[in-house]
Amino acid sequence: MLVQTLAQEISQLEANLCSAFADPTRILILYSLNEHPRNVTEITNDLGSNQPTISRHLKILRDHGLVNTARQGVTITYSLADSRLIQALDLLRSVLHDTLTSKANLIVEIKS
Amino acid sequence: MLVQTLAQEISQLEANLCSAFADPTRILILYSLNEHPRNVTEITNDLGSNQPTISRHLKILRDHGLVNTARQGVTITYSLADSRLIQALDLLRSVLHDTLTSKANLIVEIKS
DNA sequence: TTCAAATATGCGTGCATACTCATTTTAGTG
DNA sequence: CACTAAAATGAGTATGCACGCATATTTGAA
């Protein structure tokens, strides 16, 4: 049926978007850009990684429309495309926090 | 430095969590469970997939703590562990919507 | 046009994951 | 215990992704 196929396509797009988040370096980049826009060299130094790696991750974020670019001469400044991305990441982070907390409490209960 | 390492560990956990979302079948499962809890057979029929595939995806969701299980005799009912997961997915879906809309408008502009 | 800095990309390798098919485990029932 | 339905897992295969290294492209300036 059409609706079924539509739902599948939407979830496919959504999964694609999520796969852009499925890398710790890219998450750090997004949080870094949430503070303020940065160029590639600044991001590289900020994360302590090497330039080609950062450039590739930026390309992935760009292809997914998660970041915007602005060229100034020879440097390219990247910025966060949408603050809701950080909202979503913060939501997941809070879920993560609660999960870890409850696990920690379980350990305490088992020991007592 | 310690803070740097801590941020990296958190983003690693967050990326792990996001990789659980990076599959269209798992997203469909989560939205399906958001309606109401279901057992494996029901999910399989609902998504029109085959049982081993669904079972594997459920294991991944389980390992990430995104779903809870309750055994009733021979069937196991799965339920959504935290509604914030759907909140986060809905946020991403709205970002996706806006991205596609602006792309569509670009096409209109180019044609005129 | 030659050089230098900033950014992007080609290539090879290793690792993780998803799928299909068959089989196994688990739990309830006669 | 034998049988059946539900759910999970093992094996093999294919695909995609991330990284490191080297190199290419782009832009501005001398």
Side-chain angles (χ1 to χ4, degrees):
Chain A
M1 352 168 179
L2 179 62
V3 178
Q4 176 99 358
T5 304
L6 185 60
Q8 283 174 354
E9 281 193 34
I10 293 175
S11 65
Q12 174 70 63
L13 291 171
E14 208 165 355
N16 267 342
L17 182 54
C18 289
S19 71
F21 291 102
D23 183 280
T25 302
R26 289 199 288 273
I27 292 193
L28 286 173
I29 290 176
L30 290 174
Y31 273 109
S32 173
L33 294 183
N34 187 46
E35 295 176 10
H36 58 77
R38 285 179 161 92
N39 62 43
V40 181
T41 304
E42 289 170 338
I43 298 171
T44 300
N45 295 334
D46 189 32
L47 301 196
S49 186
N50 57 357
Q51 183 266 321
T53 295
I54 296 298
S55 206
R56 267 176 227 283
H57 284 303
L58 286 173
K59 173 174 174 51
I60 292 173
L61 294 174
R62 224 188 315 133
D63 289 347
H64 283 84
L66 307 190
V67 296
N68 295 323
T69 59
R71 178 180 280 276
Q72 295 128 0
V74 76
T75 73
I76 298 179
T77 299
Y78 281 79
S79 58
L80 191 67
D82 195 312
S83 63
R84 284 173 295 183
L85 301 172
I86 296 295
Q87 290 179 38
L89 284 177
D90 280 342
L91 261 177
L92 295 181
R93 197 169 272 204
S94 72
V95 173
L96 202 57
H97 171 270
D98 291 359
T99 303
L100 292 177
T101 302
S102 63
K103 277 187 187 171
N105 288 338
L106 273 181
I107 292 177
V108 172
E109 287 179 23
I110 288 173
K111 286 203 174 182
S112 64
Chain B
M1 351 168 177
L2 179 62
V3 177
Q4 178 98 358
T5 304
L6 186 59
Q8 283 174 355
E9 281 194 34
I10 292 174
S11 65
Q12 173 70 63
L13 290 171
E14 209 166 354
N16 266 341
L17 182 54
C18 289
S19 71
F21 290 102
D23 184 280
T25 302
R26 288 198 288 273
I27 292 195
L28 287 173
I29 291 175
L30 290 174
Y31 273 107
S32 173
L33 294 183
N34 187 47
E35 295 176 11
H36 57 78
R38 285 180 162 91
N39 63 43
V40 179
T41 303
E42 289 170 339
I43 298 172
T44 300
N45 295 333
D46 189 32
L47 301 197
S49 186
N50 58 358
Q51 183 265 323
T53 295
I54 296 298
S55 208
R56 270 175 225 283
H57 284 303
L58 286 173
K59 174 175 174 54
I60 292 173
L61 294 174
R62 225 187 315 132
D63 289 347
H64 283 85
L66 307 190
V67 296
N68 295 321
T69 59
R71 179 180 279 277
Q72 294 127 0
V74 76
T75 73
I76 298 178
T77 299
Y78 282 78
S79 58
L80 191 66
D82 195 312
S83 63
R84 285 173 295 182
L85 302 172
I86 296 295
Q87 288 179 40
L89 285 178
D90 280 341
L91 261 178
L92 295 181
R93 196 167 274 206
S94 70
V95 173
L96 202 56
H97 172 268
D98 291 359
T99 303
L100 293 177
T101 301
S102 62
K103 278 187 188 173
N105 288 339
L106 274 181
I107 292 177
V108 172
E109 286 180 23
I110 289 173
K111 287 202 174 180
S112 64

